[in-house]
Amino acid sequence: MTLFSALFDRVMLWSAHRHAPGYLFGLSFAESSFFPIPPDVMLAPMSLARPDRAWYFALLTTIASVLGGMAGYLIGMFAFEMIEPVLHSAGYWEKYLQTRQWFADWGIWVIFIAGFSPIPYKVFTITAGVVGMVFLPFVIASAVGRGARFFMVAGLMRWGGPAMQQTLRQYIDRLGWLVILAIITAYFVLNNG
């Protein structure tokens, strides 16, 4: 089945749209405070479609992510009681508790590694507000950690260029089904283990 290759083609078309940078900014902001989809799903194809603008897209994503992280921080600081039920219903409560423990163990360093963690970044930003992390170090660590991730993604796409785009297009269906299989396997292992 060529489900993923058709989706890949569509995303590549969307990534070249004139409003794509605005959508990337909005997605990056939202993902850092409340939205579940990471900006990499737009950043990577946009950087592939326009390798000459890859660094601009990475910078735009970083700025929006840090601004969204600030919003997440404020949500954690001033509105945690309102969103606590959402953390439970969305399945983020255990991740929140784990992140809280990481803050207790490692402090500011958690934000540096958060950009590469499987735990959604919004959990880190909200938790930083809940625990009252000092704001300026939080912002700086967010910029460094998130920037490292997004510049790495953009750099890989820029470096790979059209050859990477062709290789991804060729193997995207196999990769997509492997990811789905891995998610299903992980679900059963975690829920039955």
Side-chain angles (χ1 to χ4, degrees), residues 19 21 32 47-48 63 70 85 114 118 120 126 153 157 173 176 181:
H19 295 300
S32 293
S47 297
L48 270 176
I63 291 169
M70 292 173 171
I126 291 168
V153 168
M157 297 302 110
D173 286 304
L181 181 62

Side-chain angles (χ1 to χ4, degrees), residues 29 42 50 56 64 77 86 90 94 102-103 106 119 123 161 170:
F29 179 91
M42 281 189 73
R50 296 286 311 270
Y56 166 73
M77 181 170 269
V86 175
E94 292 300 319
W102 288 353
F103 272 102
W106 300 313
I119 296 175
V123 175
Q170 181 180 356

Side-chain angles (χ1 to χ4, degrees), residues 154-166:
L156 285 172
M157 297 302 110
R158 180 182 162 94
W159 171 73
M164 181 175 278
Q165 183 175 343
Q166 290 302 329

Side-chain angles (χ1 to χ4, degrees), residues 67-90:
L67 291 172
M70 292 173 171
Y73 181 98
L74 295 174
I75 289 169
M77 181 170 269
F78 297 113
F80 185 73
E81 295 77 25
M82 286 177 35
I83 64 145
E84 184 177 348
V86 175
L87 291 175
H88 285 283
S89 65

Side-chain angles (χ1 to χ4, degrees), residues 4-15 165 169 172:
F4 295 100
S5 56
L7 184 59
F8 179 82
D9 293 340
R10 184 166 299 220
V11 168
M12 289 306 294
L13 280 173
W14 289 341
S15 68
Q165 183 175 343
R169 174 66 173 81
I172 195 74

Side-chain angles (χ1 to χ4, degrees), residues 89-154:
S89 65
Y92 289 137
W93 186 252
E94 292 300 319
K95 292 175 182 164
Y96 163 75
L97 293 176
Q98 182 180 15
T99 303
R100 230 186 129 107
Q101 185 59 49
W102 288 353
F103 272 102
D105 293 342
W106 300 313
I108 189 75
W109 296 106
V110 170
I111 296 299
F112 286 110
I113 62 167
F116 299 94
S117 168
I119 296 175
Y121 189 62
K122 70 187 126 304
V123 175
F124 289 93
T125 65
I126 291 168
T127 305
V130 170
V131 301
M133 176 179 275
V134 180
F135 189 69
L136 185 59
F138 164 77
V139 171
I140 293 168
S142 292
V144 171
R146 295 299 268 179
R149 171 180 169 169
F150 298 135
F151 276 89
M152 183 184 74
V153 168

Side-chain angles (χ1 to χ4, degrees), residues 15-29:
S15 68
H17 191 276
R18 66 186 174 117
H19 295 300
Y23 299 144
L24 177 63
F25 186 92
L27 175 63
S28 301
F29 179 91

